[in-house]
Amino acid sequence: MGLRINDTVPNFTAETDQGAITFHDWIGDSWAILFSHPKDFTPVCTTEFSAVARLNDEWAKRNTKVIGVSVDSAADHVKWKVDIEAYAKAPAGFPIIADADLAVSKAFDMLPSEAYLPDGRTAADSATVRSVFIIGPDKTLKLMMTYPMTVGRNFAEILRALDGLQMSGKGVATPADWVPGEDVIIPPSVSNEDAAAKFGEFETVFPYLRKTKAPS
């Protein structure tokens, strides 16, 4: 069975370009984002890692650690980071997991159990290792998105989704296209009386759709 929202994510020990980690220990009390790549030194992935590097301050504001995984060696990751930082014009301080044995990719259900890396492989051999996993401090999966190799990931959307997840922890939901500062949705499970006590004023659009100012 594949990994689903609210499942506890796999724990594992792996090498990175910054040394060995045990995943749940590495997350600690933070939020975490694991973003995966099918191969080092590939064009779209280089632009993506660079985007992550440029957002270092944004991750920190959100108490979020970011970590990459690519199905190459830690030594390759060290070399690749030279290109990533040159393109980003920023340091890439996050670790990249070395997943040459595909253990992490399989644990996160990005590859079937029988997958292997053939001699002379290309990125196409691990093309489905193109997912983003947002993980809460409780080590459960909050959100995942998967992209094809030809479409670069939108990290502004990943930041927005992270903001929405952190806001939802305050007992609300977020509407389509929500960004911080906009009104949020009161869940239908909350009565009007409890909504008034908890949130103060709110707008009733439909009996099941009520909006209020985002809690601080």
Side-chain angles (χ1 to χ4, degrees):
M1 183 179 293
L3 194 61
R4 296 178 177 176
I5 300 296
N6 295 326
D7 284 351
T8 299
V9 299
N11 194 18
F12 57 85
T13 298
E15 288 296 325
T16 78
D17 63 306
Q18 298 178 5
I21 65 158
T22 299
F23 192 50
H24 284 195
D25 292 343
W26 177 83
I27 294 172
D29 296 326
S30 301
W31 287 72
I33 298 180
L34 186 151
F35 50 103
S36 62
H37 300 267
K39 199 174 191 305
D40 292 5
F41 303 103
T42 50
V44 174
C45 296
T46 300
T47 66
E48 291 173 333
F49 267 110
S50 297
V52 173
R54 287 192 292 267
L55 290 170
N56 180 66
D57 290 346
E58 298 301 323
W59 308 126
K61 288 177 188 175
R62 293 161 174 82
N63 186 33
T64 299
K65 295 178 179 179
V66 293
I67 189 167
V69 57
S70 182
V71 294
D72 283 305
S73 70
D76 285 334
H77 297 346
V78 171
K79 296 174 185 175
W80 188 23
K81 271 196 175 174
V82 175
D83 292 350
I84 291 165
E85 293 181 337
Y87 189 86
K89 297 179 173 60
F94 52 85
I96 307 175
I97 296 164
D99 194 34
D101 63 359
L102 307 181
V104 176
S105 298
K106 291 178 181 180
F108 277 78
D109 200 39
M110 293 181 281
L111 289 172
S113 59
E114 66 274 14
Y116 68 97
L117 296 179
D119 292 340
R121 77 175 184 91
T122 68
D125 293 300
S126 46
T128 55
V129 185
R130 286 276 296 155
S131 296
V132 177
F133 302 88
I134 302 183
I135 301 158
D138 60 357
K139 317 301 185 292
T140 64
L141 179 64
K142 305 301 183 184
L143 181 149
M144 56 184 171
M145 344 176 167
T146 301
Y147 289 71
M149 289 196 299
T150 54
V151 178
R153 282 169 270 199
N154 184 332
F155 283 90
E157 166 57 15
I158 293 168
L159 271 178
R160 191 199 73 88
L162 176 61
D163 285 334
L165 288 165
Q166 294 186 343
M167 177 58 66
S168 70
K170 300 175 181 179
V172 297
T174 59
D177 302 324
W178 177 87
V179 293
E182 295 182 346
D183 288 352
V184 295
I185 291 172
I186 299 170
S189 59
V190 178
S191 69
N192 284 339
E193 292 76 14
D194 288 345
K198 184 172 183 178
F199 303 110
E201 294 185 359
F202 60 88
E203 174 193 3
T204 300
V205 182
F206 303 115
Y208 58 86
L209 175 54
R210 298 162 298 168
K211 291 186 174 182
T212 189
K213 292 188 180 301
S216 59

